[in-house]
């Protein structure tokens, strides 16, 4: 045992000596010492956790990493911003992190080409920045130096604001090349005109225009039934990239309701105004609209009802259209505002006088459109206010009244006064146009699905 212990101790001493000699060999520098450790680990078993010994894993030296090309930074980045309800251009630019001085200077330049007050909910801006370098990007939350923005002011017009070489801003206008292609959509209504139109390739804008054009004669809550039919020829408007932009003109449309066909044609009269006329040359546009709001649901009709707030039966002298707060309300016809303000249970209320026989009234609005005041002339279809729930109201809706010689009448049942009727040479020209549109419609292929899928 004694000899075995001595041999063991002697072996340990020899091992330590050999290892010490290996580590400090060569030049004895720290660099070579680290090299020796790495070479030793390269021989170590997997149980020691040496990742270099794992098959399939490659190592990259610091020199290789340093020599690798750095990813290039874009020279310009663009942020797309959509305006919300009540947004102003100032608020949109400031939310994008743009300094006050740059915001006001850019808007002043923009105003020379386009009125900023005309911007509406849903409009889009493309805001451009020059990215910060890597150090600055870590120190700021903004995308970079503000360079300007672009806005499509119309289907065929782009307005841009660009930073000039002196650091200021200037506006520019560019005509956008657009094309119009006539499209044909038709089908059977199984649930609603909106759903049927979408299924057969029509976009929201064209559908809204179709509904507006027939709204003088058709009660879309009650007159549309299953298996009714529609036919529409409209222009599809696309930009230089072939992308659909906006809504094109409805050239011809017809609704077949309970077996009775109503057709209208787009026609430019001798006075230069474009209107829609039926097959007999009678204007499709009546003096008053039955439904001065888009996409709303008739929630309460004209007549006796149990008042939802007062709790007893009371005559309801108008019709209610349920719609989200902020939905635009249109003037039902040309006329003059005779009341605009708060009016008891009506809340925010506007009354328009159209002629010696007819007035219309609009109640419970959340607010009025800019410039709506007593004495103001308004045109049919002009936005006068927005749906709300002011006054005695249980939820957002429009209360709409038609008054004939001062007495409320049922807007859904009254025979609306007609517009003009074509005659003479103007009628002859219309008949020629009507025949041409009918022939053109017959030659077009029918859409079989949404345009977005094409």
């Amino acid at each position: 045992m004694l000899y075995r212990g001595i041999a063991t101790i002697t072996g340990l001493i020899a091992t330590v000596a050999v290892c010490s000699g290996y580590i400090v060999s060569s030049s004895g520098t720290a660099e070579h010492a680290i090299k020796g450790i790495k070479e030793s680990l390269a021989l170590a078993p997997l149980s020691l956790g040496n990742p270099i010994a794992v098959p399939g894993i490659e190592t990259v030296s610091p020199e290789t990493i340093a020599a690798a090309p750095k990813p290039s930074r874009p020279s310009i980045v663009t942020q797309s911003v959509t305006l919300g309800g009540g947004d102003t251009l100032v608020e949109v630019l400031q939310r994008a992190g743009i300094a006050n001085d740059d915001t006001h200077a850019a808007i002043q330049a923009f105003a020379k080409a386009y009125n900023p007050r005309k911007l509406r909910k849903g409009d889009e801006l493309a805001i451009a920045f020059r990215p910060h370098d890597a150090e600055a990007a870590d120190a700021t939350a903004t995308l970079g130096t503000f360079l300007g923005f672009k806005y499509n002011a119309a289907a065929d017009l782009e307005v841009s604001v660009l930073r000039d070489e002196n650091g200021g801003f200037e506006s520019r206008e560019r005509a956008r090349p657009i094309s119009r292609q006539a499209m044909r959509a038709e089908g059977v209504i199984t649930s609603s005109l909106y759903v049927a139109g979408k299924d057969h390739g029509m976009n929201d804008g064209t559908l809204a225009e179709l509904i507006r054009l027939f709204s003088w004669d058709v009660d879309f809550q009650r007159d549309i039934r299953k298996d009714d039919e529609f036919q529409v020829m409209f222009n599809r408007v696309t930009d230089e990239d072939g992308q659909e932009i906006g809504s094109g003109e409805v050239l011809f449309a017809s609704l077949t309701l309970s077996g009775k066909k109503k057709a209208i044609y787009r026609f430019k009269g001798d006075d230069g105004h474009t209107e829609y006329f039926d097959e007999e040359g009678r204007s499709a546009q009546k003096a008053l609209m039955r439904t001065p709001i888009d996409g709303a649901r008739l929630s309460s009709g004209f007549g006796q009802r149990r008042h939802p707030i007062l709790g007893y039966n009371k005559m309801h002298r108008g019709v209610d259209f349920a719609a989200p707060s902020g939905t635009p309300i249109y003037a039902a016809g040309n006329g003059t505002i005779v009341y605009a303000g708060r009016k008891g249970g009506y809340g925010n209320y506007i009354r328009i006088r159209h002629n010696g026989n007819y007035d219309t009234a609009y109640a419970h609005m959340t607010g009025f459109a800019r410039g709506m005041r007593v004495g103001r002339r308004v045109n049919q279809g002009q936005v006068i206010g927005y749906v709300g729930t002011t006054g005695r109201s249980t939820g957002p809706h429009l209360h709409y009244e038609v008054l004939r010689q001062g007495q409320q009448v049922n807007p859904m049942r009254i025979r609306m006064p007609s517009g003009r009727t074509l005659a003479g040479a103007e009628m002859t020209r219309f008949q020629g146009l009507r025949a041409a549109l009918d022939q053109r419609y017959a030659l077009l292929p029918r859409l079989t699905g949404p345009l977005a899928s094409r």
Side-chain angles (χ1 to χ4, degrees), residues 322-371:
S325 291
T327 301
I329 299 168
Y330 308 120
N334 298 339
T336 303
I337 295 177
V338 294
Y339 191 104
R342 296 284 297 195
K343 187 176 176 66
Y346 283 117
N348 289 329
Y349 172 94
I350 282 182
R351 182 162 169 170
I352 301 173
R353 178 154 297 153
H354 302 284
N355 53 35
N357 291 323
Y358 289 94
D359 288 20
T360 54
Y362 316 77
H364 304 310
M365 290 187 280
T366 187
F368 306 137
R370 190 185 302 273

Side-chain angles (χ1 to χ4, degrees), residues 166-182:
N166 299 319
F169 293 92
E170 61 181 5
S171 60
R172 297 179 185 174
E173 298 181 31
R174 181 180 76 90
R176 302 178 68 205
I178 62 172
S179 61
R180 284 177 164 83
Q181 180 183 6

Side-chain angles (χ1 to χ4, degrees), residues 24 28 57 65 83 112 165 167 176 188 253:
V24 299
I57 296 182
I65 295 174
L83 274 70
K112 294 178 181 178
E165 58 186 10
R176 302 178 68 205
V188 176

Side-chain angles (χ1 to χ4, degrees), residues 273-292:
H273 291 102
T274 299
E275 299 180 56
Y276 290 84
F277 296 86
D278 67 14
E279 295 169 306
E280 304 301 323
R282 296 183 295 258
S283 175
Q285 181 174 338
K286 301 299 187 291
L288 297 177
M289 299 167 63
R290 292 189 189 276
T291 55

